[in-house]
């Protein structure tokens, strides 16, 4: 028996009897007589004062909540054992984390190698480097040197290598926020170059041009409003090495200065490709444009103009000379590939037609091939094509597995690597021949448990309106359907994003303890193509919530679990999903962990990115009557009923989240503690210095994940 399995058998968590009191006593939050009027409806908002981070009452209330959380934490017994097990899972499994999973322009074959390393458990990761396969790694970016105070958390967001001039540009953020700064380093001596740029944002991109860079930045935020206001005034700049930022040349200004619609861009070869707004005769369109690099002015040429307001996805994938591969769902809900000739604007031809399976990705494979990745039911399917659109080969991947990193940008490469992931084992590496498209395993992975003892089952269940919803269920093969299995229902369900098989050590630990992990691909996500996403968006958001509720009902009726043993978890949009489901069906769940979610949907659009086009398309605009009525119908905070017994709630947030500001969590918790039956626990965990995307020290991360799972183990027994 593997050692970690033996250790798991020793694990004990506090039983429910550890909480002797019959009800919880909360510190009441101050209430104001604040009201908002929407059309003919008046909405009371007594905790709206929590939206002001400078209100002195907020700090007092947060301190009292922290004391209460610490008091509850002390009642969870044997958390030391759980922490040791989590540590064993994360450090006992050695598999290579590869950048090419998510970054097509990764420096996988560069002459330099980079890795992240923490110097202590109470520090943020530093960036280390070395010449490829030569000597030891040396510290390049020391995050501690950028701290503005002792409690500042520095997160390295991205780095951009310039091999020709042995330079590196790196973006950093403070305390987890989405605002970033750009710094430069000399890779010959490992020293920082005294040259920096400010007011970049998450999503900003950096492109080298000899020793200079193209980058996009925004107007400086107002002091004290960095975590609340939307970023405005996006511009593309050209920065000459050695100049101060005020000398940078603005090459492109967003047509929408309000920041609701921003342009994006990428480099392919020596050209810049843009996705932007285009205005003609007073009407706005979406446009794809291209320009040669120029340090003084860009000559943007639109090569494809298409309608706005039809929720069309259109992305530039690859360029083979003047021939551009585009992935789109325009006229093809499952997706297709178009070929656009830069010399023939607005005359794209269909290279790969729409199939009855959903197109996920279009990737280059060397000099003259590309691969399309599809979702075929519950399996991934890779179809290989030449530039004439002829099918060359295909690979069917097993159910419950996910292909990653299947691309190659080196035109001279003879082979490339790709990876296959699952919920219960690390990514497996394979080597693909670019000559005959055959493949074979290349690296074995060892884990301190028996992966053959686990499995992922794929089921379908019916939602409230009869729609069939697919769901992954991962558990031990020997799991008995006796209705007593602690079960974690995880969901996201928004923005057309799909939860795919991915190895998460803490979730595997849950399954090794005999728990069940269930992940439904509800509408609003991307499992069924663009129409599937639209079916859970805006006025149809309730479909996503119904689908998630129906998943819980299925697990109960099929005797995987019971309401006493059923918990749910989700973050960001998933935090909204799980909290809305629990508020609507409090009898179905016993424990809910909602992370960084928006809970006041009537005021979501008033802060940071809430009013951007992407979010208006996802949730609606509260100033429109139909949207207001819809938002009010499922907004978690506005549907809490006085005296009702809700599931035990753990709401988690980062104190510096400027994508979904923590005010949502504060107001939701205060409302729960005031109105819900106090026999259920409503508690908050705030991670210091954390934004929407992280910025945690190892200690912070361990404390956060430890408390999350201690809460779940406790209440799901």
């Amino acid at each position: 028996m593997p050692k970690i399995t033996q250790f798991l058998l020793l694990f004990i968590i506090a039983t429910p009897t550890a909480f002797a009191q019959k009800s919880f006593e909360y510190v009441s939050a101050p209430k104001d007589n604040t009201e908002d009027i929407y059309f003919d409806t008046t909405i009371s908002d007594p905790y709206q004062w929590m939206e002001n981070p400078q209100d002195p009452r907020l700090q007092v209330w947060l301190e009292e909540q922290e004391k209460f959380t610490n008091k509850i934490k002390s009642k969870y017994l044997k958390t030391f054992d759980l922490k040791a097990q989590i540590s064993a899972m994360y450090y006992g499994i050695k598999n290579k984390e590869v950048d090419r999973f998510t970054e097509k322009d990764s420096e996988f074959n560069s002459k330099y190698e980079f890795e992240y390393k923490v110097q202590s458990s109470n520090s943020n990761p530093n960036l280390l480097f070395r010449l490829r396969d030569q000597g030891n790694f040396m510290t390049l970016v020391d995050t501690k040197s950028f701290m503005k105070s002792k409690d500042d958390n520095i997160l390295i967001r991205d780095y951009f290598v310039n091999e020709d001039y042995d330079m590196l540009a790196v973006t950093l953020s403070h305390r987890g926020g989405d605002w970033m700064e750009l710094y430069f380093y000399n890779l010959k001596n490992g020293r920082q170059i005294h040259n920096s740029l400010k007011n970049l944002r998450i999503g900003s991109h950096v492109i080298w041009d000899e020793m200079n860079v193209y980058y996009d930045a925004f107007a400086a935020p107002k002091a004290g409003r960095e975590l609340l206001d939307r970023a405005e005034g996006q511009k593309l700049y050209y920065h000459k090495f050695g100049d101060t930022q005020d000398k940078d040349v603005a090459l492109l200004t967003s047509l929408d200065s309000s920041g609701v619609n921003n342009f994006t861009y990428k480099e392919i070869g020596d050209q810049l490709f843009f996705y932007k707004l285009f205005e003609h005769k007073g009407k706005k369109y979406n446009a794809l444009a291209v320009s040669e690099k120029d340090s003084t002015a860009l000559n943007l040429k639109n090569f494809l103009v298409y309608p706005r307001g039809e929720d069309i996805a259109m992305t530039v994938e690859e360029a083979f000379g003047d021939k551009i591969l585009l992935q789109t769902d325009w006229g093809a809900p499952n997706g297709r590939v178009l070929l656009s000739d830069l010399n023939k604007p607005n005359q794209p031809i269909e290279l790969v037609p729409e199939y009855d399976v959903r197109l996920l990705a279009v990737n280059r494979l060397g000099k003259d091939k590309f691969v399309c990745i599809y979702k075929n039911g519950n399996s991934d399917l890779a179809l290989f094509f030449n530039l004439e659109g002829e099918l060359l080969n295909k690979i069917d991947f097993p159910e419950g597995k996910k292909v990653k990193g299947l691309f190659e940008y080196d035109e001279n490469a003879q082979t490339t690597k790709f990876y296959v992931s699952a919920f219960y084992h690390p990514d497996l590496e394979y080597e693909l021949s670019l000559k005959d498209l055959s493949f074979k395993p290349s690296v074995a992975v060892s884990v301190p448990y028996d992966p053959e003892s686990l499995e992922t089952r794929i089921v379908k269940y019916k939602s409230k309106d009869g729609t069939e919803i697919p769901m992954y269920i991962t558990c031990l093969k020997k799991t008995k359907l006796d209705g007593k299995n602690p079960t974690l229902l995880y969901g996201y369900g928004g923005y057309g994003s799909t939860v795919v098989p991915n190895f998460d050590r803490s979730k595997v630990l849950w399954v090794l303890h005999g728990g069940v992990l269930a992940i439904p691909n509800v509408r609003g996500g991307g499992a069924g193509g663009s129409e599937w996403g639209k079916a859970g968006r805006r006025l149809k958001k309730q479909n996503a919530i119904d689908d998630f509720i129906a998943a819980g009902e299925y697990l109960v009726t099929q005797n995987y679990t019971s309401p006493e043993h059923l918990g749910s978890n989700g973050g960001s949009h998933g935090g909204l999903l799980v909290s809305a489901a629990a508020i609507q069906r409090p009898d179905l769940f016993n424990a809910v962990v909602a992370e960084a979610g928006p809970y006041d949907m009537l005021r979501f659009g008033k802060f940071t990115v809430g009013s951007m086009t992407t979010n208006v398309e996802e949730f609606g605009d509260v100033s429109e009557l139909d949207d207001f009525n819809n938002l009010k119908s499922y907004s978690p905070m506005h549907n809490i009923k006085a005296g009702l017994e809700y599931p035990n709630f753990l709401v988690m947030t980062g104190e510096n989240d400027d994508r979904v500001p923590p005010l949502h969590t504060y107001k939701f918790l205060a409302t729960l503690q005031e109105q819900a039956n106090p026999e259920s626990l409503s508690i908050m965990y705030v991670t210091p210095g954390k934004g929407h995307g992280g910025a945690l020290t190892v200690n912070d991360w361990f404390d956060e994940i430890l408390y999350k799972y201690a809460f779940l183990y406790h209440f799901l027994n």
Side-chain angles (χ1 to χ4, degrees):
M1 179 183 293
K3 290 183 179 179
I4 194 169
T5 306
Q6 294 174 338
F7 186 47
L8 294 178
L9 297 177
L10 301 175
F11 178 74
I12 303 173
I13 198 73
T15 63
T17 57
F19 291 148
Q21 71 264 41
K22 293 183 178 180
S23 62
F24 297 96
E25 295 182 3
Y26 304 109
V27 176
S28 298
K31 298 173 67 175
D32 287 348
N33 295 320
T34 307
E35 295 180 339
D36 291 320
I37 298 175
Y38 303 88
F39 304 98
D40 59 352
T41 303
T42 299
I43 302 293
S44 176
D45 194 359
Y47 301 118
Q48 195 172 118
W49 61 267
M50 290 182 168
E51 296 174 1
N52 177 11
Q54 307 305 319
D55 193 307
R57 295 174 292 178
L58 182 59
Q59 187 58 40
V60 174
W61 182 78
L62 288 173
E63 290 174 357
E64 292 298 330
Q65 290 297 326
E66 183 179 11
K67 291 178 183 178
F68 181 71
T69 297
N70 290 335
K71 180 180 178 181
I72 297 298
K73 283 171 63 176
S74 68
K75 297 180 182 292
Y76 295 137
L77 306 179
K78 299 294 184 180
T79 54
F80 177 80
D81 288 347
L82 178 57
K83 184 173 183 178
Q85 292 175 33
I86 292 173
S87 178
M89 287 294 293
Y90 277 85
Y91 296 107
I93 300 173
K94 303 294 184 182
N95 69 303
K96 189 175 182 181
E97 303 291 345
V98 184
D99 287 343
R100 60 192 281 127
F101 287 175
T102 56
E103 292 294 333
K104 289 186 176 181
D105 59 348
S106 71
E107 304 299 331
F108 188 73
N109 293 314
S110 72
K111 68 179 180 182
Y112 291 101
E113 292 180 273
F114 300 88
E115 72 174 21
Y116 292 98
K117 185 177 181 179
V118 287
Q119 300 302 314
S120 71
S121 61
N122 200 34
S123 65
N124 298 114
N126 294 333
L127 182 64
L128 282 61
F129 83 114
R130 69 177 182 180
L131 283 168
R132 182 164 293 280
D133 299 324
Q134 295 185 30
N136 297 322
F137 280 91
M138 298 178 292
T139 298
L140 181 67
V141 182
D142 182 357
T143 54
K144 188 176 180 180
S145 66
F146 292 93
M147 294 174 63
K148 296 179 178 179
S149 62
K150 64 179 182 179
D151 59 348
D152 192 4
N153 273 323
I154 305 297
L155 182 65
I156 298 174
R157 290 291 187 176
D158 207 347
Y159 60 87
F160 308 87
V161 181
N162 184 339
E163 286 192 3
D164 293 337
Y165 291 86
D166 299 292
M167 296 174 66
L168 178 134
V170 60
T171 48
L172 307 176
S173 68
H174 293 267
R175 299 178 64 81
D178 282 358
W179 287 100
M180 303 192 305
E181 300 164 359
L182 181 69
Y183 297 91
F184 298 90
Y185 285 82
N186 184 332
L187 293 176
K188 286 186 176 180
N189 57 25
R191 295 178 181 172
Q192 182 183 343
I193 300 167
H194 295 290
N195 200 249
S196 63
L197 305 174
K198 299 183 181 299
N199 299 326
L200 285 75
R201 292 280 297 173
I202 292 296
S204 291
H205 196 46
V206 178
I207 294 174
W208 283 102
D209 183 45
E210 295 184 345
M211 296 178 69
N212 312 313
V213 294
Y214 296 89
Y215 72 99
D216 64 299
F218 295 77
K222 295 178 181 178
R225 301 287 302 179
E226 296 89 346
L227 303 182
L228 299 174
D229 291 344
R230 181 176 62 241
E232 299 179 348
Q234 183 194 26
K235 294 182 180 180
L236 177 71
Y237 292 94
Y238 188 83
H239 174 75
K240 289 186 178 181
F241 178 73
D243 282 354
T244 55
Q245 189 173 8
D246 61 318
K247 295 181 180 179
D248 292 352
V249 178
L251 301 176
L252 178 65
T253 299
S254 174
L255 191 62
D256 184 351
S257 62
S258 71
V260 173
N261 299 283
N262 294 327
F263 61 80
T264 59
Y265 60 102
K266 66 193 300 184
E267 178 186 29
I268 302 180
D270 293 324
Q271 295 178 305
L272 301 178
F273 289 84
F274 291 82
Y275 170 91
K276 64 185 186 68
L277 287 180
F278 172 67
E279 190 168 0
H280 180 66
K281 294 183 179 180
K283 187 174 181 179
K284 291 181 179 179
Y285 300 86
N286 287 328
L288 298 179
V290 63
S291 175
E292 299 294 332
K293 290 183 176 179
D294 193 315
S295 62
T296 58
L298 295 180
N299 182 22
L300 264 69
K301 297 179 181 178
N302 295 335
F303 62 90
L304 184 62
V305 177
Y306 57 98
R308 288 179 56 77
E310 295 185 19
D311 210 16
I312 296 171
M314 182 79 69
T315 56
V316 175
E317 297 294 344
E318 307 301 339
F320 294 87
D322 289 336
K323 304 296 191 296
I324 311 301
L325 292 186
L326 307 175
Q327 180 181 342
T328 184
D329 60 2
W330 192 10
N334 282 332
R336 57 177 174 155
V337 180
L338 302 181
L339 184 68
S340 184
D341 189 332
L342 295 181
N343 300 310
K344 300 177 181 178
N346 295 313
Q347 299 180 49
I349 63 172
E350 186 175 75
L351 190 62
V352 178
E354 179 187 24
Y355 296 130
D356 60 355
V357 289
R358 183 194 170 209
L359 177 61
L360 302 176
V362 180
N363 298 334
R364 182 176 188 139
L365 280 178
K367 183 178 181 180
D368 55 5
K369 299 182 182 71
F370 66 95
V371 59
C372 294
I373 311 295
Y374 293 89
K375 176 62 68 175
N376 182 20
N378 300 301
S379 305
D380 279 3
L381 168 67
L383 299 183
F384 299 86
F385 297 92
N386 61 22
L387 298 183
E388 286 71 48
E390 296 173 333
L391 180 63
L392 304 176
N393 200 3
K394 73 171 184 175
I395 300 176
D396 286 294
F397 294 92
E399 282 194 336
K401 302 296 178 86
K402 172 68 180 176
V403 61
K404 295 180 177 179
L406 183 52
F407 59 85
E408 181 55 64
Y409 289 84
D410 183 353
E411 293 188 6
N412 299 314
Q414 300 299 309
T415 63
T416 192
K417 295 177 181 178
F418 68 90
Y419 305 82
V420 175
S421 67
F423 288 115
Y424 57 87
H425 66 65
D427 301 316
L428 306 178
E429 182 178 301
Y430 292 84
E431 183 177 273
L432 175 75
S433 166
L434 297 181
K435 182 178 180 180
D436 62 10
L437 300 176
S438 61
F439 66 97
K440 60 183 179 181
S442 59
V443 176
V445 175
S446 176
V447 294
Y449 60 90
D450 180 13
E452 294 300 318
S453 67
L454 293 86
E455 66 178 353
T456 294
R457 306 167 183 175
I458 296 113
V459 302
K460 287 188 176 182
Y461 64 91
K462 288 189 177 182
S463 188
K464 183 178 181 179
D465 63 359
T467 302
E468 282 197 334
I469 312 297
M471 178 163 60
Y472 298 107
I473 300 177
T474 301
C475 58
L476 292 166
K477 290 180 179 178
K478 64 181 182 181
T479 298
K480 296 180 180 179
L481 302 186
D482 58 6
K484 299 179 181 180
N485 300 300
T487 299
L488 182 60
L489 185 62
Y490 179 86
Y492 185 76
Y495 302 100
S497 296
T498 307
V499 182
V500 298
N502 192 50
F503 184 62
D504 183 319
R505 291 160 170 81
S506 59
K507 289 184 173 66
V508 171
L509 185 60
W510 173 267
V511 174
L512 289 172
H513 272 302
V516 173
L517 173 65
I519 302 178
N521 274 309
V522 303
R523 284 172 288 182
S530 61
E531 294 302 316
W532 189 262
K534 293 174 185 177
R537 190 174 301 164
R538 202 163 184 166
L539 296 179
K540 299 179 180 179
K541 182 61 65 180
Q542 185 60 43
N543 282 341
I545 301 167
D546 288 341
D547 294 351
F548 194 77
I549 290 172
E553 293 172 337
Y554 173 89
L555 293 167
V556 171
T557 58
Q558 296 300 310
N559 281 328
Y560 277 94
T561 191
S562 64
E564 178 187 358
H565 300 289
L566 179 60
S568 63
N569 177 219
S572 192
H573 186 284
L576 164 67
L577 177 71
V578 301
S579 58
I583 295 300
Q584 293 181 22
R585 282 295 308 277
D587 59 309
L588 186 58
F589 305 93
N590 191 23
V592 178
V593 179
E595 304 176 61
Y599 310 117
D600 180 352
M601 297 310 298
L602 298 184
R603 294 179 63 81
F604 176 65
K606 290 187 174 294
F607 304 100
T608 61
V609 300
S611 60
M612 292 185 68
T613 297
T614 301
N615 284 318
V616 173
E617 291 174 348
E618 185 68 32
F619 302 111
D621 182 346
V622 73
S623 66
E624 296 185 14
L625 180 58
D626 287 345
D627 284 332
F628 162 70
N629 287 327
N630 184 56
L631 289 164
K632 181 175 178 292
S633 72
Y634 70 81
S635 177
M637 190 183 80
H638 295 96
N639 285 279
I640 297 171
K641 294 180 173 59
L644 197 62
E645 184 173 350
Y646 289 100
N648 299 286
F649 258 96
L650 168 62
V651 288
M652 310 182 79
T653 188
E655 68 173 351
N656 287 86
D657 191 339
D658 55 355
R659 214 172 307 168
V660 181
L663 61 91
H664 283 273
T665 299
Y666 303 160
K667 292 172 66 176
F668 181 58
L669 178 71
T671 306
L672 268 176
Q673 291 184 345
E674 176 203 354
Q675 296 192 26
N677 187 315
E679 291 187 6
S680 294
L681 177 66
S682 298
I683 195 170
M684 176 172 65
Y685 192 97
V686 180
T687 304
K690 180 184 178 183
H692 201 70
L696 297 172
T697 65
V698 172
N699 281 346
D700 287 336
W701 178 85
F702 257 106
D703 287 345
E704 182 181 274
I705 200 169
L706 176 63
Y707 191 64
K708 170 181 172 179
Y709 279 96
F711 177 88
L712 289 168
Y713 279 109
H714 171 81
F715 282 107
L716 303 185
N717 198 20

